Amino acid sequence: MSTVSATGGRTPRIAVIGGGLAGITASIALAESGADVTLLEARPRLGGATCSFSRDGLTVDTSQHILLGCCSAYRGLLDKLGMAGHAPMQDRFDVTVLAPGADGQPRKARLRRNALPGPLHMLAALGRYPFLSLTERMSVSRPALAMRRVNPADPATDRQRFGDWLAAHGQTERSRRLLWDLFSVSSLNIAGDDASLALAAVVVKTGLLGKNNAADIGVPALPLGELHGDAAATLLGKLGARVSLGAKVSAIEPQDGGGYLVRLADEDLTVDAVVLAVPHEKAAPLMPPGALPGQTVAAWAGLGASPIVNVHVIYDRPVMDLPFVAAVDSPVQWVFDRTRISGLSASKHGASKHGRPGHQYLAISLSAADQYADTPVARLQELFVPALAELFPAARDANVAEFFVTRERRATFRQAPGTAALRPPAATQRPGLVLAGAWTDTGWPDTMEGAVRSGLAAAVELRRTVLKPTSPIGERQ
Ligand SMILES: Cc1cc2nc3c(=O)[nH]c(=O)nc-3n(C[C@H](O)[C@H](O)[C@H](O)COP(=O)(O)OP(=O)(O)OC[C@H]3O[C@@H](n4cnc5c(N)ncnc54)[C@H](O)[C@@H]3O)c2cc1C
């Protein structure tokens, strides 16, 4: 692939600030386009919000992540990283939903799609969903049909609350809590009723009403640090890009003759172009004056933040026999078996290499977790150990060997009505300065897919303005 640079024949130097999925994606695409790329990441590792750490010999992801079949750009990145095989997809959307039962036995539903084309693929499963009355089940088709006419790109759509819209289409409080929340709370990280209708429409139209495999779930089989950060560092090295870790950028200063001075603690960097791929609250103070009109940058504060808390419980024996389940009528939302991925699973000789033979490691993922963000660990243990026992009878006789909590207080922006207008596109008014990040105007929720799409959009913009491409960057890289 050849490029004609806008830098007088010299290879354009580009600084990508922020080593999350957006920055990683932009760096790869730009390095592949022939740019001289330096990726600057403040932390000692790549991967941003998708990261892992070691704890007593276990590899712990700060938060369980999943992907969906419709995440084409993110899956394209995994392909590029050589990691697609480590994020296996379900053969069909298949979610077991548990609820505590009055007789002490959990109630159980299985939402498994069939092979019919979307949106018919979910009808049979929803028709049998036992947590709703027959009338409630029959009314689910009303919003499903009406959603086809909702335009997520219409600003009026983004001014509405998803809950109000569902209620106006016949969805009772129970239908919203026991069915719709299953999909919207985890994908939008905000209490179901409070989500922007525009973002909820993207989820519902793409995931539930689109192709029949669009909502099939993929669960990483490797710790996120390996799946993204380590693999990206390797690929970027092969592409000739520099990765600078522990490199916190303190300012981006436009230069008189064009280009930018990127200020770092140790040494400054002079570049032709910059991709700023950091969260909105970190991006705002780095934006040079005049990069965007008027109060645009100040308004980003309105995007806010929404927390995700993960509760990690290690039992002295197996208590859950599925890779993951969802829960309703319970403080538990989604539970994942992390025994193997954390390195806890038994070796072929029957003994755990970490001295916890036969133990099972579960992680409860709690989205829209405002009420738990500052709750003491002991209180969370009092709440969630009995809640798990209500869902998994085997847990009642099991001992909790370890209990710990990870909290991401600014996990995503707060995906409420009115946020679409605050999300900026990649291009700014300053030549060679572009924005990326899952919070920018991708049209997608703040997800891995959104982050990758934003990185691609940033790279496309710089290829158009700085690199003058001879071949386009595709959505699947
Ligand atoms: C707990 C949790 C659970 C989630 N679950 C899912 C899920 O299941 N599925 C899904 O699709 N998405 C999920 N998401 C969302 C997804 O992780 C994010 O949307 C995505 O990873 C954001 O990527 P990003 O590159 O835009 O930003 P980030 O990952 O935030 O990366 C930004 C990077 O910029 C760096 N940085 C900041 N300031 C500077 C500076 N001054 N100089 C240099 N570097 C700087 C930061 O250190 C960071 O590494 C989850 C997020 C969280 C937090």
Side-chain angles (χ1 to χ4, degrees), residues 240-418:
R242 276 174 300 282
V243 175
S244 206
L245 301 175
K248 183 173 178 185
V249 171
S250 56
I252 304 167
E253 296 173 2
Q255 301 299 287
D256 286 343
Y260 296 88
L261 186 70
V262 176
R263 293 246 181 237
L264 294 150
D266 298 342
E267 122 187 76
D268 300 335
L269 203 64
T270 305
V271 293
D272 302 299
V274 172
V275 178
L276 183 56
V278 302
H280 68 84
E281 71 277 7
K282 309 273 187 207
L286 292 176
M287 288 293 281
L292 285 174
Q295 296 301 307
T296 308
V297 173
W300 291 348
L303 290 168
S306 185
I308 297 179
V309 169
N310 272 215
V311 171
H312 307 255
V313 191
I314 300 179
Y315 289 100
D316 65 352
R317 68 198 75 174
V319 305
M320 180 173 96
D321 57 5
L322 289 166
F324 62 86
V325 304
V328 293
D329 271 343
S330 164
V332 174
Q333 294 177 7
W334 290 76
V335 191
F336 294 83
D337 182 356
R338 301 209 37 101
T339 310
R340 198 200 57 73
I341 194 172
S342 66
L344 181 64
S345 57
S347 73
K348 61 184 172 189
H349 306 296
S352 161
K353 65 178 172 172
H354 299 300
R356 301 161 172 111
H359 285 42
Q360 187 179 39
Y361 170 3
L362 301 184
I364 308 172
S365 181
L366 299 167
S367 299
D370 303 78
Q371 63 178 314
Y372 304 124
D374 297 309
T375 307
V377 174
R379 175 70 196 117
L380 291 174
Q381 184 158 359
E382 283 167 12
L383 184 62
F384 282 99
V385 170
L388 286 173
E390 286 187 312
L391 302 174
F392 305 111
R396 296 169 195 170
D397 299 324
N399 297 309
V400 174
E402 287 169 57
F403 185 100
F404 58 98
V405 176
T406 48
R407 308 171 204 252
E408 296 290 330
R409 289 184 169 77
R410 304 190 67 86
T412 64
F413 75 88
R414 197 168 175 75
Q415 304 185 73

